[in-house]
């Protein structure tokens, strides 16, 4: 994402108009160079990247500012789960056309979130595409040396803990697609608005990054579905887990849908797009972790236990019977 002294191209003009105003970090050089400088003082740099694609991660008629926020926040969620503090990001934007009606709110939403989360735009690239719109962000964070929280590290006897509520975003997508959830909640505008909001704009738990770093032995964010992502964490740690399905934190809307049997637990644990933090917490650290979460206004729930063995994590119903899940998570392929 450069803007040199040569005659302005269409790309240069686009960058200057929409993205230079939000690239306020000195290391971005006003997007006038071929690279940026990221200054740190003794910390490790944590790097994560995620792309979102039209028709896969967002709908073509989703609001542009919400698309921008989602693109940045899914990366911020990864940083939070690693215990990292955001430092900056670079953006790759593949567009079918340079449309002011779309780009202006997109840039506004991106700039507002960059300021809110202390994660400035440092540079990137803009390209044209005949295919679907694509936004790719690489985000950088910092942690004290050797303090990044890995997926590996969970040990038998530790608690399986998750932030927020699970399943809302998948239900929101169903509403936007006119699915069964939309029909059941036809008379509950507030519930529909909340669920759609959880799909459109994730709520990354960056306020909890320090607590994750201080107390979690393993962590990752829930992006593809609780069941599948828990299986990934357990596999990386060489352990398994037992989850009390009744303890999975649900919003009032999701609980109502389950009570009416409009959906089953599989829709909750395999739907994806939650962007909550899933972590293993030693028993003697849980109270301190919960207190730290309370201080920053993030709800945390203990919903199971790490156990020894290589088996896929089990989800148990109220009678202690294992729930058979046909799928664990969303899969791109």
């Amino acid at each position: 994402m450069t803007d040199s002294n040569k005659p302005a191209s269409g790309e240069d003009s686009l960058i200057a108009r929409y993205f230079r105003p939000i690239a306020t970090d000195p290391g971005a050089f006003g997007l006038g160079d071929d690279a940026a400088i990221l200054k740190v003082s003794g910390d490790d740099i944590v790097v994560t990247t995620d792309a979102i694609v039209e028709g896969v991660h967002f709908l073509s008629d989703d609001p542009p500012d919400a698309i921008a926020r989602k693109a940045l926040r899914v990366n911020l969620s990864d940083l939070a789960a690693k215990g990292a503090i955001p430092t900056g990001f670079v953006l790759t934007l593949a567009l079918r056309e340079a449309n002011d009606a779309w780009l202006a709110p997109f840039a506004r939403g991106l700039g507002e979130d960059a300021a809110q989360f202390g994660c400035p735009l440092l540079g990137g690239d803009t390209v044209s595409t005949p295919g679907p719109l694509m936004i790719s962000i690489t985000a950088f964070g910092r942690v004290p040396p050797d303090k990044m929280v890995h997926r590996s590290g969970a040990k038998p006897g530790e608690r399986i803990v998750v932030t927020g509520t699970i399943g809302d975003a998948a239900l929101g997508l169903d509403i936007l697609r006119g699915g069964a959830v939309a029909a059941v909640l036809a008379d509950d505008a507030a519930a529909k608005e909340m669920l759609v909001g959880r799909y459109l704009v994730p709520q990354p738990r960056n306020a909890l990054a320090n607590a994750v770093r201080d107390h979690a032995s393993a962590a990752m964010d829930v992006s593809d579905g609780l069941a599948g992502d828990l299986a990934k964490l357990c596999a990386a740690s060489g352990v398994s887990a037992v989850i009390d399905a009744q303890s999975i934190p649900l919003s009032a809307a999701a609980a109502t849908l389950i009570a009416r049997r409009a959906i089953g637990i599989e829709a909750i644990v395999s739907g994806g797009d939650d962007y909550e933090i899933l972590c293993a917490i030693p028993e003697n650290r849980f109270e301190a972790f919960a207190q730290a979460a309370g201080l920053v206004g993030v709800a945390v729930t203990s919903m199971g236990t790490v156990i020894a063995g290589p088996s896929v994590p089990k989800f148990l119903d109220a009678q202690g019977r294992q729930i058979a899940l046909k799928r664990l998570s969303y899969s791109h392929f």
Side-chain angles (χ1 to χ4, degrees):
M1 188 172 282
T2 61
D3 184 27
S4 67
N5 292 325
K6 63 186 179 181
S9 67
E11 179 185 2
D12 293 334
S13 297
L14 184 154
I15 291 166
R17 181 172 185 180
Y18 297 106
F19 298 110
R20 182 187 292 163
I22 66 175
T24 56
D25 189 272
F29 305 117
L31 304 184
D33 211 317
D34 296 311
I37 288 179
L38 189 60
K39 292 188 176 183
V40 294
S41 55
D43 287 338
D44 288 344
I45 296 298
V46 179
V47 184
T48 185
T49 188
D50 269 305
I52 63 172
V53 179
E54 181 182 16
V56 179
H57 304 95
F58 63 92
L59 303 179
S60 59
D61 58 353
D62 285 350
D65 62 321
I67 295 171
R69 295 178 196 279
K70 187 169 191 175
L72 181 56
R73 291 181 184 212
V74 300
N75 286 277
L76 292 171
S77 181
D78 278 326
L79 293 180
K82 302 298 98 183
I85 304 304
T87 303
F89 72 98
V90 293
L91 165 73
T92 297
L93 183 59
L95 297 167
R96 285 188 295 273
E97 60 178 338
N99 183 338
D100 180 74
W102 192 92
L103 277 166
F106 177 89
R108 182 179 65 250
L110 188 65
E112 289 174 354
D113 263 16
Q116 177 183 338
F117 290 99
C119 191
L121 174 64
L122 300 174
D125 194 20
T126 55
V127 298
S128 63
T129 177
L133 178 66
M134 188 275 293
I135 304 105
S136 179
I137 282 178
T138 298
F140 307 93
R142 56 183 174 81
V143 296
D146 302 316
K147 293 297 184 180
M148 188 186 89
V149 183
H150 298 264
R151 290 184 183 183
S152 57
K155 301 174 183 63
E158 294 180 340
R159 296 194 186 205
I160 297 293
V161 179
V162 72
T163 62
T165 56
I166 296 298
D168 294 332
L171 300 177
L173 177 58
D174 183 87
I175 290 170
L176 290 175
R177 288 176 168 170
V181 173
V184 175
L185 296 178
D187 297 327
D188 193 339
K192 289 192 294 183
E193 181 180 1
M194 184 279 292
L195 294 173
V196 169
R198 285 296 305 269
Y199 164 73
L200 289 174
V201 183
Q203 301 298 319
R205 304 305 182 180
N206 296 89
L208 202 57
N210 288 338
V212 170
R213 193 172 67 239
D214 290 343
H215 302 296
S217 58
M220 64 182 295
D221 78 331
V222 181
S223 56
D224 293 330
L226 175 65
D229 288 335
L230 175 61
K232 294 172 188 175
L233 186 148
C234 287
S237 297
V239 297
S240 186
V242 176
I243 302 298
D244 174 15
Q246 303 297 305
S247 296
I248 296 171
L250 303 177
S251 66
T256 295
L257 289 164
I258 287 182
R260 295 182 183 178
R261 297 187 178 180
I263 60 169
I265 192 64
E266 185 172 299
I268 295 294
V269 301
S270 66
D273 266 6
D274 295 302
Y275 297 105
E276 298 290 353
I277 297 176
L278 172 69
C279 51
I281 305 287
E283 182 64 37
N284 64 354
R285 306 296 300 176
F286 176 71
E287 286 304 321
F289 178 72
Q291 289 177 8
L295 290 175
V296 295
V298 177
V300 296
T301 302
S302 175
M303 59 181 183
T305 305
V306 179
I307 62 172
S311 60
V312 174
K314 297 178 181 178
F315 288 75
L316 306 181
D317 66 15
Q319 288 72 45
R321 299 171 299 195
Q322 184 173 354
I323 299 170
L325 299 175
K326 294 180 181 178
R327 73 181 184 114
L328 299 180
S329 64
Y330 173 82
S331 177
H332 287 278
F333 302 101

